[in-house]
Amino acid sequence: MKKVAFYTLGCKLNYSETSTISRMFEQKGYQKVEFNQKPDIFIINTCSVTENADKKCKKIVKEANKINPDGYVTIIGCYAQLKPQEIADIEGVDAVLGAAEKFQLIDLLDGFVKEPSGNKAKVYNQNIEEAVEYHTSYSLNDRTRTFLKVQDGCDYPCAYCTIPLARGGSRSDTIANVLKAAREIAESGVKEIVLTGVNIGDFGLQNGKRENTFLELVKALDEVEGIERFRISSIEPNLLTDEIIAFVASSKRFVPHFHIPLQSGSNKVLALMKRRYKRELYVDRVTKIKELMPNCCIGVDVIVGHPGETDEEFLETYNFLNELPISYLHVFTYSERENTSALAIKPVVPMSKRSERSKMLHILSDKKRRFFYEEHLEDSFTVLFEEDVENGQMQGFTENYIRVTAKYDPILINETKKVKLSTINENMLVEVEEVEVYETH
């Protein structure tokens, strides 16, 4: 029985796909092991959102070659689609598979037999236009929550982004398939599903036709028995409608937590980025959410140092975010990517300024998170306790995404329990008053 190990870089979407591919291996009789357990086959699922992700891939290949010099190293994912020849030239790589091929790798690589030393890596990489099939994917057995992919690809040509080049056009699963997957996940004992995709608000496109909407999907999922919580991972502000917000506010299972990419608080920079909204729409979305769900957690993606972003426009973004009732930021420092239209925009922001702006927003994010946590001290929420235990403490998230810590009790793992939030510790975790060991559902 050949042993196979997986390593995933990047987003929740990649985790859901890696987990699905690993189950395909197990169904074919392969044994899944940890990366350091001298596997016969290494599968590395890559990201290429930033230059750093590319460097990480090279480092992991080097580590795999150290662990087992005879191991078969396969690279899949976004980096593999964008730069297959560059990866094929990395010493120790045996095969590279693009977006249209990664779910066929067991058949394409037939036995994973290494070529004689000196032979070039095998490359299976069709043009991204060929990546039209949709593959249902979800993570299992990796953590308390499951990432369920409902949509793939993107039709938005944002100036800085390579994802349409790496994953192809927008396409979705059927509602029936998503419901089937959610029920399978429920049977495995998982309590929370995080819906993920490249542009999930665009859910419903199948073979280029609009068959359903994201609102129809969430309404159907809300009826799935056995899942206590659904969480929406990230949704574009122009696709987050009043109807979706109102539905989440009244739903049985969808939690009060939205992650809404902003990227810039300057309308001029948003236009340079080719985003499909203005800051005024973003304010409207946040206002609507807080009106219907005052306790709602709102996360924000923001890019600093995009070409053409002046000091004044960055300060415009900073002040915009500072004034909004949001809960945390995911800050990305702009990095140049081949074949993107942002490369033609001038002036280019120096790296030192990008770094300085990033630090300012990271500090702002910490302040926003602390303020959000402080607002809810002494309030009661339900926490889904996770399996990770450190120094006798276990952790979990409230429905509105406050990270809590409590004394380890094995009976509480993968259980949702009502708790009262008490204090914030030095690690920015909220300590809770004693958890009563009883069923809340």
Side-chain angles (χ1 to χ4, degrees):
M1 185 187 283
K2 282 195 172 181
K3 295 186 289 185
V4 59
F6 298 84
Y7 196 99
T8 306
L9 291 162
C11 61
K12 297 180 177 80
L13 189 54
N14 273 7
Y15 278 96
S16 72
E17 292 182 341
T18 299
S19 188
T20 296
I21 291 167
S22 78
R23 292 194 296 278
M24 289 162 57
F25 270 89
E26 289 176 289
Q27 285 160 11
K28 292 276 189 177
Y30 291 82
Q31 182 190 355
K32 184 183 172 187
V33 298
E34 295 300 320
F35 210 79
N36 60 357
Q37 293 179 307
K38 207 175 178 186
D40 304 295
I41 304 157
F42 296 89
I43 310 291
I44 302 165
N45 194 357
T46 60
C47 165
S48 198
V49 171
T50 66
E51 202 63 52
N52 196 32
D54 301 357
K55 289 174 187 163
K56 281 182 184 173
C57 173
K58 290 168 187 169
K59 189 175 180 184
I60 296 157
V61 169
K62 197 174 177 183
E63 191 62 26
N65 291 156
K66 266 200 284 185
I67 291 165
N68 185 4
D70 298 321
Y72 194 101
V73 178
T74 304
I75 313 293
I76 62 173
C78 292
Y79 182 29
Q81 177 63 37
L82 291 171
K83 297 186 178 179
Q85 292 307 324
E86 184 177 297
I87 298 171
D89 291 337
I90 298 172
E91 189 179 343
V93 170
D94 295 290
V96 184
L97 283 81
E101 295 82 13
K102 63 189 170 191
F103 284 94
Q104 305 162 37
L105 59 84
I106 298 176
D107 295 328
L108 288 171
L109 299 179
D110 190 29
F112 299 88
V113 179
K114 281 181 85 71
E115 295 289 324
S117 182
N119 281 26
K120 289 277 281 183
K122 290 180 180 176
V123 175
Y124 298 90
N125 184 290
Q126 295 177 67
N127 194 298
I128 194 59
E129 280 77 32
E130 302 296 322
V132 292
E133 278 189 49
Y134 185 86
H135 296 273
T136 304
S137 302
Y138 56 86
S139 59
L140 260 193
N141 307 322
D142 299 326
R143 48 189 75 190
T144 310
R145 291 174 292 153
T146 282
F147 301 128
L148 170 57
K149 181 175 92 169
V150 300
Q151 183 274 341
D152 201 352
C154 189
D155 294 337
Y156 288 10
C158 296
Y160 52 83
C161 186
T162 57
I163 289 174
L165 302 172
R167 283 190 167 269
S170 182
R171 55 202 186 275
S172 306
D173 213 339
T174 63
I175 288 180
N177 272 349
V178 175
L179 292 176
K180 179 173 176 281
R183 291 186 188 107
E184 286 170 8
I185 292 164
E187 283 170 16
S188 77
V190 167
K191 302 285 175 69
E192 180 176 317
I193 290 177
V194 182
L195 302 183
T196 187
V198 175
N199 186 0
I200 61 174
D202 197 35
F203 175 87
L205 280 174
Q206 287 152 30
N207 302 315
K209 285 184 183 174
R210 172 78 51 201
E211 301 289 349
N212 299 107
T213 65
F214 186 65
L215 180 61
E216 289 170 342
L217 174 69
V218 295
K219 282 183 172 177
L221 284 169
D222 206 45
E223 301 301 322
V224 173
E225 297 292 333
I227 298 297
E228 292 181 19
R229 293 176 172 181
F230 285 99
R231 201 176 290 276
I232 298 168
S233 65
S234 180
I235 184 165
E236 292 285 310
N238 52 302
L239 297 174
L240 179 56
T241 62
D242 282 353
E243 290 80 9
I244 293 169
I245 295 168
F247 175 74
V248 170
S250 64
S251 81
K252 292 177 280 191
R253 295 182 171 89
F254 277 81
V255 295
H257 176 203
F258 288 98
H259 192 92
I260 316 167
L262 169 68
Q263 312 309 11
S264 175
S266 158
N267 280 340
K268 185 187 157 200
V269 177
L270 286 172
L272 288 174
M273 290 175 164
K274 297 185 182 173
R275 299 293 285 165
R276 297 192 173 200
Y277 52 87
K278 292 185 175 177
R279 55 184 264 159
E280 290 77 12
L281 175 83
Y282 202 91
V283 173
D284 182 61
R285 302 296 77 208
V286 171
T287 304
K288 186 71 177 176
I289 290 166
K290 285 295 187 178
E291 181 189 305
L292 295 181
M293 293 168 274
N295 290 341
C296 189
C297 178
I298 301 175
V300 183
D301 285 343
V302 60
I303 295 170
V304 294
H306 189 274
E309 183 188 63
T310 64
D311 288 344
E312 292 74 24
E313 283 148 7
F314 169 70
L315 285 175
E316 202 181 339
T317 293
Y318 184 94
N319 292 329
F320 180 72
L321 290 165
N322 192 34
E323 289 161 21
L324 275 179
I326 56 167
S327 315
Y328 64 90
L329 305 173
H330 282 173
V331 184
F332 298 89
T333 301
Y334 171 78
S335 68
E336 286 77 2
R337 313 306 287 151
E338 282 179 30
N339 302 314
T340 56
S341 60
L343 294 175
I345 302 170
K346 300 291 184 272
V348 172
V349 180
M351 284 305 299
S352 58
K353 280 206 167 174
R354 297 184 210 181
S355 177
E356 185 185 308
R357 292 172 187 178
S358 174
K359 279 179 192 162
M360 285 177 70
L361 285 186
H362 275 101
I363 292 166
L364 179 62
S365 180
D366 290 344
K367 286 179 181 172
K368 286 284 185 183
R369 192 185 295 272
R370 177 169 282 277
F371 181 77
F372 180 64
Y373 283 10
E374 284 173 347
E375 274 187 309
H376 297 299
L377 294 180
E378 300 305 314
D379 292 346
S380 294
F381 294 99
T382 57
V383 174
L384 175 60
F385 285 102
E386 299 180 350
E387 290 175 22
D388 298 332
V389 178
E390 202 174 313
N391 301 323
Q393 294 286 113
M394 58 185 184
Q395 296 180 12
F397 284 102
T398 62
E399 56 267 50
N400 62 340
Y401 211 57
I402 293 173
R403 189 81 158 147
V404 309
T405 181
K407 186 182 174 189
Y408 170 63
D409 183 338
I411 207 166
L412 296 178
I413 297 297
N414 199 31
E415 295 291 339
T416 47
K417 295 294 175 185
K418 198 92 168 169
V419 300
K420 189 176 181 184
L421 305 187
S422 176
T423 55
I424 304 169
N425 69 19
E426 67 277 8
N427 298 317
M428 272 294 281
L429 299 169
V430 178
E431 295 178 356
V432 300
E433 293 182 9
E434 194 168 340
V435 184
E436 291 187 46
V437 184
Y438 61 87
E439 295 300 318
T440 56
H441 292 274

